[in-house]
Amino acid sequence: MADKEDLTRFGVAFPTPLIEQFDSYIEEQGYKNRSEAFRDLVRKTLLEPSALHSEQDVAGTIVMVYDHHISDLPIRLMELQHDAHHDIISNMHVHLNHDQCLEVIAVRGNLGRLRHLHQQIQVQKGVLYAELSVTYVDELNKMASHHSPHNHDHSQNQQSHYHPHHSPDSSTD
């Protein structure tokens, strides 16, 4: 937490019904005061992919729900992930029901490339939901981070994935 001299105070006017809803929210979430909750909301807003520049390096997730019965969809999704293997740290595949699967892809890389991967996923026929969420922005200069002795590329040594729904007659990678 920042020292008191690092804090900037300002006033915010809320309509009464909105502040009552906000107070209920912060109590449910376990915040001690409005300032803590407001700071977290601002941090979350600043991490929205639309608020960031495409050239920034970020980490986060792509979450999708899709119907695995749609012809060749699991294979197309797997190919998209293989094409982006340098930006994918790991993924998790969950069978929601007989028809639908949930996949969570942990990603780290250039935001422009991750946006492109997300867009390629969301436009596939049978993808019911796809969202890119950014949880970390690398503030360091790319060149400086490549030369730092403390820079570790975890994306390659933590890569794991599962190839879902292959029938015995389907080809493998």
Side-chain angles (χ1 to χ4, degrees):
M1 171 101 177
D3 293 330
K4 288 239 184 234
E5 62 268 8
D6 292 330
L7 296 177
T8 301
R9 296 188 183 276
F10 66 97
V12 178
F14 280 80
T16 301
L18 184 58
I19 198 65
E20 288 171 353
Q21 286 180 310
F22 187 61
D23 286 343
S24 293
Y25 167 81
I26 64 175
E27 184 179 331
E28 289 170 10
Q29 297 299 313
Y31 287 102
K32 292 182 177 29
N33 57 56
R34 290 175 180 164
S35 292
E36 289 178 12
F38 192 71
R39 283 190 292 268
D40 279 354
L41 289 172
V42 169
R43 285 186 198 104
K44 182 179 178 183
T45 299
L46 294 175
L47 285 174
E48 287 292 323
S50 61
L52 300 171
H53 299 287
S54 291
E55 65 276 357
Q56 288 181 283
D57 286 333
V58 300
T61 58
I62 297 175
V63 177
M64 69 175 128
V65 174
Y66 64 92
D67 182 340
H68 77 263
H69 290 296
I70 301 295
S71 180
D72 295 329
L73 180 59
I75 293 168
R76 287 195 312 270
L77 293 171
M78 187 185 341
E79 287 172 352
L80 288 172
Q81 291 181 54
H82 278 271
D83 290 344
H85 73 277
H86 293 295
D87 293 324
I88 295 177
I89 299 167
S90 182
N91 71 0
M92 178 178 64
H93 182 92
V94 178
H95 303 275
L96 296 175
N97 55 44
H98 184 268
D99 299 323
Q100 296 176 336
C101 296
L102 166 74
E103 197 151 335
V104 180
I105 307 168
V107 293
R108 184 174 189 174
N110 174 272
L111 179 58
R113 287 194 314 265
L114 298 178
R115 282 178 177 156
H116 181 70
L117 174 60
H118 167 250
Q119 290 167 348
Q120 288 180 307
I121 289 169
Q122 77 179 7
V123 299
Q124 297 296 315
K125 180 181 177 189
V127 172
L128 308 170
Y129 173 84
E131 181 179 6
L132 169 62
S133 175
V134 173
T135 54
Y136 170 79
V137 177
D138 188 355
E139 301 293 341
L140 298 176
N141 180 319
K142 262 187 171 179
M143 293 305 290
S145 67
H146 286 308
H147 298 297
S148 168
H150 303 292
N151 182 39
H152 304 294
D153 182 4
H154 296 284
S155 64
Q156 297 305 310
N157 60 13
Q158 292 182 359
Q159 179 100 8
S160 66
H161 60 271
Y162 169 68
H163 298 273
H165 312 295
H166 279 230
S167 62
D169 59 356
S170 68
S171 64
T172 59
D173 300 12

